[in-house]
Each structure stands twice: as C-alpha cells, then as structure tokens.
Amino acid sequence: MVEPVVGAAEEVPEEDVPGAPGTKIRWLLSPGVGAPNFSMRLFSIAPGGRIPEHSHDWEHEIYVLSGRGVITISGRRHEVGPGTYVLIPPNLPHGYEQVGPEELRFLCLIPNRGAGGR
Amino acid sequence: MVEPVVGAAEEVPEEDVPGAPGTKIRWLLSPGVGAPNFSMRLFSIAPGGRIPEHSHDWEHEIYVLSGRGVITISGRRHEVGPGTYVLIPPNLPHGYEQVGPEELRFLCLIPNRGAGGR
C-alpha cells in the first residue's frame, strides 16, 4: 500500500547536476517515495548557468515556474518563461540556458525508468 | 516521430470540470499531442470552488502554483499552497477545496490511461 506524500518543495535538499554549471535539482516525487509511473523534479538554474545539450531515450514534460530561459531541442531555440509547458520527445538532443537577472525554475517530469534508482 | 511541443499555458482553452463548482481544467500535454506516458493538466479553482471527493485506479502527481487550498486524501486534510507537491496513490478517495481570496492553481499529472481519449 503506497502512502500519500505531501511536502514543500523548498524543504527538499538541492543537489548539484554534474556537468551543468549553476544548476540544482530537487527530486520531489520518485519511485523511492512510491510514485508508480513517473517522477517529478524541480530544477533551478542560476544566472549564467546552463545544462549542456544531451539526449536519452525517455521524454521530458516541463513547466516553467519562474525566470526566463532558452530550451534548445534538435538545434531549434525556444524562449521560455513562466507558464511555458514543453514536451521533449525521447531521443532528441536538448539543452537549457538561463536568461536575464532571475533564476530559472522549472518542473521536469520523466518516466520512472529514467530515474536512475531514486 | 513525435514532435516537440512548446506552448503557453494561458493560451490553452479552459474547460469546465463536471460536478466541480468553480473549477476549470486546461489539458497541456496528453497522448493527442504525443505525450508517450503521462499527461499534464492545469487546474484552477475559483474562490468558493471545490472538487468533491472521488477515486480512481491511477495516481496523481500535483504541484501547487498559486493560491491556497485543502486536499483531502482518505479523510485526512492537508493544507496546501505555492510549492506544495503531492502524490495521491491510486484508489484513495481525494477531494480539493479552494481557500482564501485567491484562485487555487495547480498542475496535476496522471498516467495516460486516465486521460480518457485525449
């Protein structure tokens, strides 16, 4: 029997994202806390930070909470800000850049098989 | 080949939620636009609105964007506000009430089999 989970995102410890300058991740919901199918992570990218382009065989579903940035998918640049939602299909190269004075914060959800043992 | 999707939540048409006074839903990402595994919806509940308790055999992953409310899961009431994340496991009765002067807005993600043909 899986128990409900109710938490405050700001109380979840931030972790560095290897290879991504200025970027932190909080794992909010994952298999380890009982999420049956998909995982919810909160990313923060500080001014000047970025996540270099990379690719994997699972999708991202993204919702931008605050700040501004550019998400590049298959070489095409998309300006994003609060309220932007994004589907990055599997196997497309994608990267993120923070833009402007404010930290870029977004939710990024993935199927559990991308959760790497969390 | 699934194409990327990039959109602005406020440009997605709102729909009524039957049986839920004051409640609107926007389907941001769903199987119909290529989401492979799970669907992203944005709910808004106006002051005085609510979603009565109900149950189904798929989970919810929720992130509160703005406003305040109470989410009841299996009879237990949880106060929620901006930055609250919630896992509602399958088959637990749950309901939502808006609280205070401001609309309650939250993302609610479900596995695609709950997306009802979207």
Side-chain angles (χ1 to χ4, degrees):
Chain A
M1 175 71 182
V2 176
E3 294 295 318
V5 176
V6 182
E10 72 265 29
E11 295 175 5
V12 175
E14 285 187 329
E15 302 172 32
D16 289 331
V17 178
T23 303
K24 302 282 188 180
I25 185 173
R26 289 177 162 110
W27 286 80
L28 305 183
L29 296 170
S30 60
V33 300
N37 292 296
F38 51 96
S39 294
M40 179 185 286
R41 300 96 47 85
L42 173 58
F43 283 83
S44 302
I45 307 182
R50 54 192 279 275
I51 303 175
E53 282 193 55
H54 62 285
S55 183
H56 39 66
D57 70 353
W58 56 85
E59 77 275 22
H60 285 325
E61 295 194 12
I62 288 168
Y63 187 94
V64 178
L65 300 172
S66 62
R68 304 207 70 83
V70 172
I71 300 181
T72 301
I73 308 171
S74 299
R76 182 168 169 197
R77 292 165 58 85
H78 303 272
E79 295 186 9
V80 305
T84 305
Y85 61 93
V86 182
L87 170 65
I88 303 177
N91 298 310
L92 298 187
H94 56 283
Y96 309 78
E97 297 163 57
Q98 184 277 349
V99 170
E102 194 187 341
E103 186 178 61
L104 173 66
R105 294 169 63 250
F106 60 90
L107 297 174
C108 176
L109 292 101
I110 57 171
N112 278 349
R113 66 190 178 80
R118 294 271 166 176
Chain B
M1 175 72 181
V2 175
E3 293 296 318
V5 177
V6 182
E10 72 265 28
E11 294 176 4
V12 175
E14 285 186 328
E15 303 173 32
D16 290 330
V17 178
T23 303
K24 302 281 189 181
I25 185 173
R26 289 177 162 108
W27 286 80
L28 305 183
L29 296 171
S30 59
V33 299
N37 292 296
F38 51 96
S39 293
M40 179 185 285
R41 298 96 49 83
L42 173 59
F43 284 82
S44 303
I45 308 182
R50 54 192 280 274
I51 303 175
E53 281 192 55
H54 61 284
S55 183
H56 39 66
D57 70 352
W58 56 84
E59 77 275 21
H60 285 324
E61 296 195 12
I62 288 168
Y63 187 93
V64 178
L65 299 172
S66 62
R68 304 206 70 82
V70 173
I71 300 181
T72 302
I73 309 170
S74 300
R76 182 169 170 197
R77 292 166 58 86
H78 303 272
E79 295 185 9
V80 305
T84 305
Y85 61 93
V86 182
L87 169 65
I88 303 177
N91 298 309
L92 298 187
H94 55 283
Y96 309 78
E97 298 163 55
Q98 184 276 351
V99 170
E102 194 188 340
E103 187 177 60
L104 173 66
R105 293 170 64 251
F106 59 92
L107 297 175
C108 177
L109 292 102
I110 57 172
N112 278 350
R113 67 191 179 80
R118 293 271 167 175

